[in-house]
Amino acid sequence: MIETGGHLLNVVIVLGTVLTVAAFLIWYERRLLALWQDRYGPNRVGPFGLLQVVADMIKIFFKEDWVPPFADRFVFVLAPMAIMTAVLMSFAVVPLSPGIWVADSNIGLLFILAMSSMTVYASVLGGWASNSKYALLGGLRSAAQMVSYEVFMGISLMGVVVLTGSFRLIDIVEAQSGLWNCIPQFFGMLIFAVAGIAETKRVPFDLPEAEAELVAGYHTEYSGMKFGMFFVGEYLGVTLISALTVILYFGGWQGPLLPPIVWFFLKTFAVIAVVILLRASLPRPRFDQLMAYGWKVLLPLALLNLLATGVAVLL
Amino acid sequence: MMSAPEIAQELSEQLVGSITMVQETRDEIPTFWVTRDQLPAAAERLCRQIADPFTTLFDLTAIDERERVHRDDQPEADFTVVYHLFSFARNQHLRVKVPLHGEHPSIQTSIPFWVTANWYEREVFDMFGITFDGHPELRRILMPPTWKGHPLRKEHPARATEFEPFELTDDDEDAEQDALRFRPEDWGMERRTEDADFLFLNLGPQHPGTHGVLRMALQLDGEVIVNAVPDIGYHHRGAEKMAERQTWHTYIPYTDRIDYLSGVQNNFPYVLAVEKLAGIEVPDRAKTVRIMMAELFRIASHLVWYGTFAQDVGALSPVFFMFVDRERIFDIVEAICGGRMHPSWFRIGGVAHDLPQGWDRLVSEFLDYLPGRLDEYDRVVMKNRIFKARTRGVGRYRREEAIEWGITGPNLRACGFDWDFRKRHPYGGYEAFDFDVPTAQAGDCYARAEVRIEEIRQSLRIIRQCLDNMPGGPFKADHPLTTPPVKAATTKDIETLIHHFLGVSWGPVIPPGEAFQGIEAPKGFTGYYLISDGSTGSYRTRIRAPSFAHMQTVPWISRGVLLADLLAILGSIDFVLADVDR
């Protein structure tokens, strides 16, 4: 009974934390982007504009829940739910700090890969169900991009798994008490970061929604809270990829003096800041260039990295 | 460069039998009259057979002659079609006029001689109801397909109040709705071939990547563009028609809004053309002030292009940096002119006011500020590898093609041709300035960007020279047609007071005649062709806008590229929809 209660508490803590962080990211990204673009960003609502998120939330909750008449209604509504669900499920196996996790799974990493594969359905189904040409093109782009980059993401992670000998995220964190994986797995980390950003469809991999070309890509026809779910799903994805980067390569919650949870968040927000900095500084490659880069550069590099790690472990 | 009479002599010998008369104009551009039947033969000779032929058709327009009083000894005509030709080899303008008779006359198409004639003939058809025999798709280009009448004909109303009250019946509404339906066949596109069903994508008129109300109908095979057809006219405001009901003076603010990003650059060709008609010589100070302001606006226009081009390729931040810099230019413009984007600051015979105290400090601060920023942008944008990958080799054309298509300005210089009208045909005092004409060789999107960025630096050089050598003296010409005359003088002598009163209340009366003036505007060759019938307003004003010519090339450049490339091409061409549609 007490154990169940503890689990429930953990669920509430993790869910609450993750959703709060995702919402907070709206403010965090807008302020950081503004800083790098010589502007102020939201600074009117509450201290430092922090309550802007609350204002935006209130606004979006009261928007009309509208489905375009030409859309496939059922799938159209399902798609944004799929992205939220898939990403939130992934967080179930993410350990925030010792004792704060929902599920301690010995195949945690595989579970996350499986769930992140699910998110592609959201954009493909959303693009398809919208019955609009821009959304369709966006959906197609996202399918091709995510299926490709998933491959390298999986392979790049295997280096860490080989080093640790476990798919369990807690094991992976604890194995880094001496040396963080970002040193031995430097290339693996780079590939994972690139593939991770591609998975979350962030600049420079935002081709599925490429504003200048496809208006808003697969979510062109979405509005109100359904759009909001895509939006929050994207931020959840960023949080997930950043948290995973920290867990897999930067020693998770480990660090001197400060409590583990603080370390974990400090590191995660630092990684998120890098993701936002990329958005502020890079243009968008063309679709064929993106694909060529993935298959011709990242895939061989990921395989080489795995090979080298395997050889090193064997010797 | 030969003088106008010489060239007239040479050409009339070569065109013997075709030319009915040689007209004298105030701008000294050789002007030949050719009969309707002789036009194909004359065009053939001009564009192919003579030495250094006239390969570029810069402009093609018409004049409704039916109400014109001062036609002197020009041939009888109800309508005149005017071909404005240019030869880069000769550095020579040439005007060919064809008289037409009847309410809705027709004339042979000249597309076989000049490809650019396609859109210009459609425009003449749209505006005047003159048909061009043999034109492949003679349909309206600026006005909606359901429009009744041809706006630039003299009997067409100029104001909404001259129309009957507007009424939309159910039948009319159905007809309008039906006209909006997209039928690929109407756009010259096939629905399918043997191995592909095409996707038709409607890009615009509301789209974040088109910089305004441009609509493109795209025929896609996957994401590859099979055909891209621009649909323009959403920004058409009838600027040429408005010129016919404004006075010479009150039309100046309308010109600002043609290429709305480059402010006084639009005033420039207009006032120069009026001054040619009126015979006004502008004092040195006014010339230098005009050039300084024009170059400031060239930088402002290029900065907007720079930022939005980077944004088209997906870089979010640069546009913010460049708008901050542009704001600095507007601070200077505001201090000098009072206005910002559209200061309407040039006047017939000078500029509106003298420079305010402290202008030199503002300009000098800006000259010190911008170069460092430009170097930073080189690192942020031009040296970025993704940016290069997106723009190099995309939207490429060669110099000969560019000349044939009437491409001018930075887009022409990007194919390695150092043609700048400020150097080749100096106007408004540019001959006194020392600057380079930047070029690039590749003729692709990246080359066009390189040229514009170097042009910003050259403009800074020109402004520096204006700052260091600003002449003293009056800022307006001492001429009765200067509008309005210097206010201080009106309190001292009655003649000036009379002119001031007439110029303000009625408008200056410009002597009858025709004059064209073209300038090197930020987007390319902008020209105003004015016809005065000896009244307070123009009889016909024709605006040759570079964006119109450049927009016509888009289908040709973008065939076979990816959708993403199309947006890079549109960004690199640097057009303004108001300049396309006028």
Side-chain angles (χ1 to χ4, degrees):
Chain A
M1 188 66 201
I2 291 168
E3 206 173 298
T4 322
H7 279 315
L8 269 181
L9 191 65
N10 265 349
V11 170
V12 172
I13 288 174
V14 171
L15 194 63
T17 316
V18 165
L19 283 176
T20 315
V21 166
F24 172 74
L25 276 192
I26 300 173
W27 177 86
Y28 188 62
E29 167 154 47
R30 289 180 65 185
R31 289 294 294 209
L32 279 183
L33 272 184
L35 180 74
W36 287 316
Q37 293 175 342
D38 291 355
R39 336 179 253 119
Y40 289 112
N43 65 352
R44 299 286 125 167
V45 193
F48 307 107
L50 267 169
L51 295 181
Q52 182 69 44
V53 179
V54 181
D56 287 349
M57 284 289 183
I58 293 172
K59 186 192 80 170
I60 210 162
F61 270 116
F62 283 93
K63 279 203 165 188
E64 186 185 353
D65 185 45
W66 186 74
V67 178
F70 45 80
D72 181 339
R73 206 183 162 84
F74 176 68
V75 185
F76 189 83
V77 176
L78 191 73
M81 293 181 191
I83 191 169
M84 283 279 281
T85 318
V87 185
L88 279 179
M89 292 281 275
S90 307
F91 275 104
V93 294
V94 173
L96 303 189
S97 66
I100 306 186
W101 55 70
V102 176
D104 175 13
S105 164
N106 59 0
I107 52 155
L109 207 46
L110 287 182
F111 180 75
I112 286 176
L113 283 177
M115 278 300 132
S116 92
S117 305
M118 296 290 289
T119 57
V120 69
Y121 283 104
S123 37
V124 173
L125 290 181
W128 178 254
S130 297
N131 202 4
S132 136
K133 288 171 184 171
Y134 286 106
L136 177 67
L137 285 174
L140 288 177
R141 280 181 176 195
S142 104
Q145 171 177 329
M146 292 177 80
V147 168
S148 315
Y149 277 72
E150 207 128 78
V151 177
F152 335 127
M153 184 150 124
I155 295 173
S156 67
L157 290 180
M158 287 312 119
V160 173
V161 176
V162 170
L163 272 187
T164 319
S166 167
F167 280 108
R168 194 166 165 257
L169 291 170
I170 299 156
D171 288 347
I172 292 174
V173 173
E174 279 164 359
Q176 296 179 66
S177 53
L179 181 66
W180 287 356
N181 279 339
C182 60
I183 310 282
Q185 282 298 311
F186 181 72
F187 289 106
M189 178 188 72
L190 288 186
I191 299 161
F192 175 75
V194 171
I197 294 168
E199 281 290 301
T200 49
K201 300 185 281 291
R202 297 275 309 182
V203 176
F205 300 102
D206 65 335
L207 283 92
E209 47 178 285
E211 194 205 2
E213 299 151 31
L214 298 185
V215 188
Y218 63 92
H219 57 60
T220 304
E221 303 294 339
Y222 281 88
S223 63
M225 200 50 218
K226 286 197 288 297
F227 164 75
M229 280 159 87
F230 272 119
F231 198 67
V232 173
E234 181 185 317
Y235 280 120
L236 282 173
V238 174
T239 318
L240 177 67
I241 290 298
S242 307
L244 275 181
T245 312
V246 169
I247 289 169
L248 297 173
Y249 299 101
F250 291 97
W253 59 75
Q254 297 177 12
L257 296 174
L258 299 170
I261 188 85
V262 175
W263 268 116
F264 183 79
F265 278 112
L266 276 182
K267 290 176 183 175
T268 306
F269 275 107
V271 175
I272 293 173
V274 174
V275 175
I276 296 170
L277 181 59
L278 283 180
R279 181 172 175 197
S281 48
L282 288 183
R284 180 190 310 120
R286 210 170 52 206
F287 196 67
D288 53 328
Q289 293 164 349
L290 183 84
M291 284 304 180
Y293 180 68
W295 290 105
K296 290 181 185 162
V297 179
L298 288 185
L299 181 65
L301 204 60
L303 286 172
L304 270 180
N305 179 59
L306 183 58
L307 185 73
T309 314
V311 171
V313 168
L314 271 181
L315 294 178
Chain B
M1 199 165 77
M2 300 162 89
S3 75
E6 276 171 7
I7 196 106
Q9 180 69 32
E10 185 211 324
L11 287 176
S12 57
E13 277 165 19
Q14 307 223 21
L15 292 175
V16 79
S18 303
I19 295 178
T20 51
M21 80 162 279
V22 180
Q23 184 192 342
E24 288 203 5
T25 53
R26 297 303 297 252
D27 52 15
E28 297 184 345
I29 292 179
T31 304
F32 300 122
W33 284 82
V34 173
T35 60
R36 180 178 176 277
D37 300 333
Q38 284 293 328
L39 177 74
E44 172 77 28
R45 246 171 264 171
L46 282 172
C47 93
R48 299 215 180 98
Q49 291 171 354
I50 60 168
D52 299 329
F54 290 83
T55 45
T56 310
L57 177 74
F58 262 162
D59 199 7
L60 193 169
T61 188
I63 307 163
D64 183 347
E65 305 270 19
R66 291 171 298 174
E67 292 177 12
R68 193 164 163 195
V69 182
H70 298 275
R71 297 196 66 233
D72 306 328
D73 45 357
Q74 294 175 29
E76 270 306 305
D78 290 326
F79 292 90
T80 307
V81 179
V82 186
Y83 298 79
H84 185 140
L85 307 177
F86 190 75
S87 164
F88 283 94
R90 293 168 183 256
N91 189 14
Q92 178 67 48
H93 293 277
L94 179 71
R95 196 180 286 132
V96 175
K97 288 187 168 184
V98 181
L100 297 177
H101 302 274
E103 277 296 291
H104 290 279
S106 70
I107 185 171
Q108 195 67 30
T109 179
S110 40
I111 298 176
F113 310 108
W114 299 284
V115 278
T116 44
N118 191 324
W119 274 26
Y120 285 106
E121 287 180 352
R122 281 176 65 189
E123 190 187 356
V124 170
F125 164 72
D126 193 359
M127 293 295 144
F128 290 92
I130 298 172
T131 49
F132 290 83
D133 300 332
H135 192 291
E137 42 163 356
L138 196 65
R139 53 189 173 89
R140 289 189 183 271
I141 187 166
L142 293 176
M143 306 302 286
T146 52
W147 190 263
K148 290 184 182 64
H150 300 277
L152 283 178
R153 293 170 74 96
K154 287 291 175 185
E155 76 265 18
H156 194 280
R159 295 170 192 271
T161 47
E162 295 168 30
F163 284 98
E164 293 286 303
F166 180 73
E167 195 186 356
L168 187 66
T169 64
D170 287 347
D171 288 345
D172 287 347
E173 191 181 345
D174 291 344
E176 293 284 346
Q177 287 291 340
D178 190 55
L180 291 176
R181 202 180 301 278
F182 178 75
R183 296 177 199 84
E185 296 79 17
D186 297 349
W187 299 67
M189 300 176 187
E190 289 176 329
R191 284 177 197 265
R192 57 183 63 86
T193 60
E194 275 180 18
D195 37 53
D197 274 353
F198 296 116
L199 172 73
F200 294 99
L201 189 66
N202 181 54
L203 194 91
Q206 309 298 336
H207 186 282
T210 55
H211 302 245
V213 280
L214 168 67
R215 179 180 174 212
M216 305 261 299
L218 303 180
Q219 184 184 17
L220 297 178
D221 182 4
E223 279 204 32
V224 178
I225 293 173
V226 180
N227 214 339
V229 181
D231 178 22
I232 60 172
Y234 292 92
H235 215 307
H236 179 67
R237 297 146 299 172
E240 293 176 11
K241 186 76 174 178
M242 282 186 219
E244 294 172 17
R245 63 167 166 83
Q246 294 292 327
T247 69
W248 295 100
H249 175 61
T250 57
Y251 186 60
I252 293 173
Y254 288 90
T255 65
D256 277 59
R257 286 145 181 89
I258 300 299
D259 171 3
Y260 55 70
L261 291 178
S262 38
V264 300
Q265 285 272 8
N266 298 284
N267 303 160
F268 217 156
Y270 176 72
V271 294
L272 285 176
V274 178
E275 283 158 10
K276 268 186 190 171
L277 284 172
I280 300 175
E281 186 59 38
V282 179
D284 281 347
R285 186 172 175 85
K287 281 184 179 172
T288 315
V289 173
R290 279 179 178 181
I291 286 174
M292 183 174 81
M293 299 313 293
E295 292 305 318
L296 279 173
F297 267 102
R298 186 186 309 278
I299 298 175
S301 168
H302 281 359
L303 283 173
V304 172
W305 157 81
Y306 202 169
T308 50
F309 182 39
Q311 199 173 34
D312 286 338
V313 185
L316 288 174
S317 299
V319 71
F320 291 102
F321 306 146
M322 283 117 189
F323 269 68
V324 168
D325 297 344
R326 178 170 175 254
E327 207 55 32
R328 295 221 171 195
I329 295 177
F330 283 157
D331 286 347
I332 300 174
V333 174
E334 196 175 359
I336 294 177
C337 311
R340 284 161 46 86
M341 274 180 80
H342 307 131
S344 313
W345 202 58
F346 290 5
R347 292 290 180 271
I348 300 165
V351 293
H353 290 281
D354 208 349
L355 292 169
Q357 278 182 5
W359 68 274
D360 43 348
R361 189 173 52 80
L362 289 175
V363 172
S364 148
E365 278 172 8
F366 179 73
L367 289 176
D368 295 335
Y369 161 82
L370 196 62
R373 299 278 287 189
L374 287 177
D375 293 342
E376 191 184 330
Y377 302 154
D378 275 350
R379 290 194 295 275
V380 172
V381 182
M382 296 300 283
K383 288 186 183 154
N384 184 296
R385 282 171 58 192
I386 301 178
F387 182 81
K388 285 182 182 171
R390 282 295 305 278
T391 52
R392 284 218 168 133
V394 173
R396 184 174 236 164
Y397 48 75
R398 287 177 297 117
R399 170 179 156 173
E400 298 74 37
E401 295 170 327
I403 289 174
E404 190 187 343
W405 281 91
I407 293 172
T408 49
N411 295 345
L412 176 61
R413 291 190 282 276
C415 354
F417 192 20
D418 61 339
W419 192 276
D420 188 320
F421 281 92
R422 290 175 293 177
K423 282 269 192 227
R424 305 288 182 132
H425 261 288
Y427 55 87
Y430 270 107
E431 61 276 4
F433 288 85
D434 179 27
F435 62 97
D436 298 330
V437 179
T439 56
Q441 300 303 322
D444 55 11
C445 293
Y446 191 79
R448 296 197 270 280
E450 284 178 310
V451 169
R452 290 204 177 82
I453 291 155
E454 188 51 34
E455 273 187 28
I456 299 180
R457 296 202 171 89
Q458 294 301 326
S459 291
L460 288 173
R461 256 178 90 186
I462 298 175
I463 297 169
R464 170 79 65 190
Q465 292 166 45
C466 294
L467 176 70
D468 293 342
N469 308 302
M470 183 60 74
F475 59 94
K476 272 183 185 172
D478 183 20
H479 188 283
L481 287 173
T482 297
T483 314
V486 182
K487 189 74 201 282
T490 61
T491 57
K492 297 203 179 74
D493 78 77
I494 187 71
E495 277 298 321
T496 318
L497 181 63
I498 291 169
H499 282 299
H500 191 280
F501 182 78
L502 288 180
V504 170
S505 61
W506 190 21
V509 177
I510 301 294
E514 299 181 12
F516 173 86
Q517 174 69 50
I519 67 154
E520 185 68 42
K523 312 241 172 337
F525 183 66
T526 301
Y528 278 69
Y529 175 40
L530 304 179
I531 295 175
S532 173
D533 204 21
S535 104
T536 55
S538 89
Y539 182 79
R540 167 91 175 99
T541 296
R542 167 64 185 171
I543 305 168
R544 194 276 174 190
S547 299
F548 185 83
H550 294 161
M551 183 59 70
Q552 187 175 196
T553 67
V554 168
W556 162 62
I557 310 176
S558 53
R559 205 154 287 164
V561 302
L562 286 169
L563 178 60
D565 288 335
L566 173 71
L567 275 302
I569 289 172
L570 287 179
S572 75
I573 283 178
D574 187 24
F575 56 84
V576 157
L577 262 303
D579 198 35
V580 176
D581 297 344
R582 287 152 283 132

